[in-house]
Amino acid sequence: MSDTTTSAPPPAPGTAGAASPARRVTAQAGFETRTILRNGEQLLVTIVLPVLVLVGLARTSIIGLDTGGLPRIDFVTPGVLALACVTTAFTSQAIATAFDRRNGVLRLLATTPLGRSGLLAGKVLGVLAVEVVQVVVIGVTALLLGWQPHVAGIPAAVGAGLLGTAAFTALALLIAGTLRAEGVLAVANLLLVLLVVGGGLLVPPDQLPGPLAHLATFLPSGALGEAMRGALLGTGVPPLAVVVLAAWTALLAGATVRFFRWQ
Amino acid sequence: MPTSIAPSGVVPTADHAVVVHQLVKRYGGRDVVDGLDLVARAGAVTAVLGPNGAGKTTTVECCEGLRTPDAGSVRVLGLDPVADARALRPRVGVMLQDGGLPTGARAGEVLRHVAAMYAAPRDTGELSERLGVDLFARTTVRRLSGGQRQRLALAAAVVGRPEVVFLDEPSAGMDPQSRHAVWELVRELRSDGVAVVLTTHLMDEAEDLADHVHVVDRGRLLASGTVHDLLTTEPDGDAGTLRFDTVAGLDLAPLTARLSTVTPDAATGWSAAEAEPGSYVVTGPADPRTLAELTAWLADHDVLAGRITVGRRTLEDVFLDLTGRHLR
């Protein structure tokens, strides 16, 4: 360590200093990513579930979908990518944060040079890293099944994914920071099922029955699904979807800042 | 609100790493900490001793910047733990009572992760070996025993070479070997000039380790000083204790009256209490005659003591006198 002599006395207390903010946040992001990717249940919900849904919807007709004449795989993949975003940014993150909160992990890390803002930044980066893994796994699977995405729409899809990640991470932190860990476990899984079935992620809102069609259009899940489909099918991202996602992000982030309890 | 940060009677100096003055913290209208004063010096071990619910953890959490005081002031290394958090975090090490360790990660990984928050942390290999963390470095935190978690949490608290360390119940759930490893590390930190603040309800921990003890109960400071100070504080300066076990429920008032007649000239009087059913502690100016008087009194009651010991007051006696003997 020292540039003078190897037998120098050990450095005095208070000389460790903080690592640079970038290094702290990357370290936290790496730690979060490894923890999620090593956890069996988290892998099940973030990787296995979306892939199963993709294969199931593309290869069977159990769920009737009006693809407007498009191949099923082209129509389904954008929705599965939206679902993947929700599983990581919302379900997985809500559960992980809730248990970290209950176990005092958030408090302990807040006392290290990482601090609360570094912890938050690390979490968001960790979510994005897991999403990259998801996009690779789902994208390769879809391509093998014959997916032909509208390549020019990829930047818009990335933008939609980032906006969706922001909205759903905010929702994850809101419930993780206000409910008991066991409650979060239940709510996060239940909400995921509801959003998959009737939230407009996989099935476009206008194909949902009755009032659900109008409701899902204004849910972050429906907006994210529509934005993904619009981008990757080449029909363009509906401006309403962007407005809805942005509004939810602002609302949920504000509520999280207001109501999140660290202990 | 007083603006001075000096606890009554104590002038903070450069070697006061922690100064808590008239701290108040309320939860749901209840004062958990109620006008607490407390100081801790660099190069010393300061124990905050108190029963469960005394406000120890809340006080320490205010020092760590995890809670904001409702009134009063807290200064750590001359800084405000909340407002100056960014400057303090690299200089302060924390071991929380509930550990705060991520349960899904391996022990060695957790320590290296905390170390990564510092520019020049301690060598994690050496530290792991010191505390025996290397023996379970590849085990996930979820599977560690209570004592192993505590040792890992302590390692995480000191890996950033802190100037001030807060240890909340550091040896809870530890086996004797672990405790000694922990105590040895704490002594080493002290000789390196670190201010070590530990909360505990373990008398032997405070007695063996602490240079300074603050006895806290119901959110207030009851007594403060070295262990020696506390043991010899008036009015029980020359007090000894007679302990005996026999049948439960003896009326002790006649006993103290009889003992007082044996020591009429003593500066201090006698007190007696049944610490647990059938287990008595009598405190006063003990000498051979008072011991004889005690056995005579037992004979008068026709009871046989299973055990009689004579000794000086312990920190536990002082503690129980200050905080009461009732269960909570």
Side-chain angles (χ1 to χ4, degrees):
Chain A
M1 289 289 173
S2 166
D3 57 350
T4 49
T5 159
T6 49
S7 61
T15 56
S20 72
R23 201 172 147 235
R24 302 194 302 253
V25 170
T26 345
Q28 182 63 27
F31 188 80
E32 299 256 349
T33 309
R34 282 195 302 278
T35 308
I36 290 172
L37 293 180
R38 218 167 35 206
N39 180 304
E41 296 105 73
Q42 300 273 32
L43 270 186
L44 207 61
V45 76
T46 56
I47 307 283
V48 179
L49 174 75
V51 170
L52 282 181
V53 169
L54 176 71
V55 175
L57 285 183
R59 282 300 170 93
T60 72
S61 307
I62 301 169
I63 313 281
L65 281 175
D66 176 9
T67 64
L70 295 165
R72 272 183 85 93
I73 185 70
D74 287 355
F75 192 78
V76 160
T77 306
V80 173
L81 289 171
L83 164 67
C85 173
V86 176
T87 59
T88 299
F90 173 62
T91 311
S92 157
Q93 192 53 236
I95 294 169
T97 304
F99 280 91
D100 276 358
R101 173 170 167 261
R102 188 185 74 177
N103 295 330
V105 178
L106 302 185
R107 292 190 304 144
L108 184 69
L109 287 173
T111 69
T112 71
L114 182 65
R116 288 176 178 176
S117 53
L119 182 60
L120 185 64
K123 280 191 172 299
V124 171
L125 276 186
V127 166
L128 293 175
V130 174
E131 286 178 351
V132 168
V133 175
Q134 289 178 303
V135 167
V136 169
V137 173
I138 293 166
V140 167
T141 311
L143 289 171
L144 289 175
L145 293 171
W147 179 39
Q148 290 184 317
H150 177 69
V151 177
I154 289 177
V158 171
L162 288 175
L163 200 49
T165 300
F168 279 102
T169 304
L171 178 61
L173 296 180
L174 178 62
I175 71 162
T178 50
L179 304 180
R180 284 187 312 120
E182 290 76 10
V184 172
L185 194 60
V187 169
N189 283 314
L190 181 67
L191 262 183
L192 178 67
V193 172
L194 291 178
L195 292 182
V196 167
V197 173
L201 275 176
L202 298 165
V203 180
D206 58 16
Q207 295 186 28
L208 290 170
L212 220 47
H214 301 288
L215 178 67
T217 306
F218 294 96
L219 290 180
S221 51
L224 178 60
E226 286 301 90
M228 279 289 180
R229 277 183 287 275
L232 294 171
L233 292 173
T235 55
V237 176
L240 176 64
V242 176
V243 172
V244 168
L245 274 181
W248 276 107
T249 304
L251 180 75
L252 293 168
T256 303
V257 169
R258 171 87 175 73
F259 296 112
F260 192 93
R261 294 170 54 89
W262 289 82
Q263 45 204 338
Chain B
M1 245 341 89
T3 48
S4 152
I5 56 165
S8 37
V10 181
V11 181
T13 61
D15 63 345
H16 275 130
V18 180
V19 181
V20 174
H21 178 62
Q22 289 294 304
L23 176 67
V24 175
K25 185 69 194 172
R26 297 183 196 94
Y27 300 134
R30 199 169 64 90
D31 286 4
V32 176
V33 178
D34 182 17
L36 189 85
D37 290 330
L38 188 152
V39 292
R41 284 191 168 75
V45 177
T46 303
V48 183
L49 188 65
N52 294 332
K56 305 187 294 289
T57 295
T58 301
T59 302
V60 168
E61 285 179 343
C62 287
C63 297
E64 295 161 351
L66 290 172
R67 294 186 189 275
T68 309
D70 290 320
S73 71
V74 176
R75 289 291 177 276
V76 176
L77 299 169
L79 299 171
D80 181 321
V82 176
D84 304 318
R86 193 181 295 268
L88 273 177
R89 282 188 210 117
R91 302 172 68 188
V92 175
V94 171
M95 176 178 173
L96 298 174
Q97 194 170 5
D98 51 14
L101 303 167
T103 51
R106 296 194 175 100
E109 203 176 11
V110 170
L111 184 56
R112 282 193 301 278
H113 179 52
V114 175
M117 300 300 153
Y118 301 88
R122 279 178 77 141
D123 179 39
T124 53
E126 177 267 341
L127 186 58
S128 295
E129 210 173 306
R130 279 291 305 275
L131 289 167
V133 172
D134 56 334
L135 301 174
F136 50 85
R138 296 193 55 79
T139 310
T140 51
V141 169
R142 190 179 292 115
R143 286 165 209 231
L144 299 181
S145 72
Q148 290 173 328
R149 284 186 194 207
Q150 295 283 94
R151 281 185 276 153
L152 175 58
L154 177 64
V158 303
V159 74
R161 302 182 202 284
E163 291 163 71
V164 181
V165 181
F166 293 102
L167 308 175
D168 202 350
E169 308 269 356
S171 49
M174 278 193 182
D175 57 34
Q177 287 83 354
S178 300
R179 279 177 70 178
H180 277 97
V182 168
W183 290 7
E184 201 181 303
L185 183 72
V186 166
R187 291 196 182 100
E188 187 184 295
L189 292 170
R190 167 173 61 193
S191 62
D192 287 347
V194 176
V196 181
V197 179
L198 61 93
T199 73
T200 186
H201 58 255
L202 301 175
M203 301 302 146
D204 55 344
E205 186 159 86
E207 213 163 335
D208 286 10
L209 214 50
D211 301 294
H212 200 96
V213 177
H214 296 290
V215 182
V216 172
D217 194 19
R218 295 173 205 284
R220 290 181 156 275
L221 183 67
L222 296 184
S224 181
T226 63
V227 173
H228 182 260
D229 288 343
L230 292 175
L231 293 180
T232 55
T233 301
E234 295 297 326
D236 297 323
D238 56 349
T241 56
L242 305 170
R243 294 162 190 273
F244 60 96
D245 294 346
T246 184
V247 296
L250 291 175
D251 180 10
L252 297 169
L255 172 62
T256 50
R258 272 177 76 162
L259 292 172
S260 300
T261 62
V262 183
T263 56
D265 303 327
T268 54
W270 286 91
S271 65
E274 191 170 354
E276 297 159 37
S279 183
Y280 300 85
V281 182
V282 185
T283 307
D287 63 14
R289 288 172 301 146
T290 53
L291 180 59
E293 194 62 30
L294 169 65
T295 51
W297 178 77
L298 288 167
D300 290 353
H301 284 75
D302 198 22
V303 294
L304 181 65
R307 180 181 69 100
I308 299 182
T309 57
V310 184
R312 290 194 53 76
R313 273 157 64 85
T314 63
L315 193 55
E316 183 155 2
D317 297 323
V318 175
F319 180 76
L320 291 173
D321 285 350
L322 287 166
T323 62
R325 289 175 188 273
H326 58 278
L327 296 175
R328 40 183 109 198

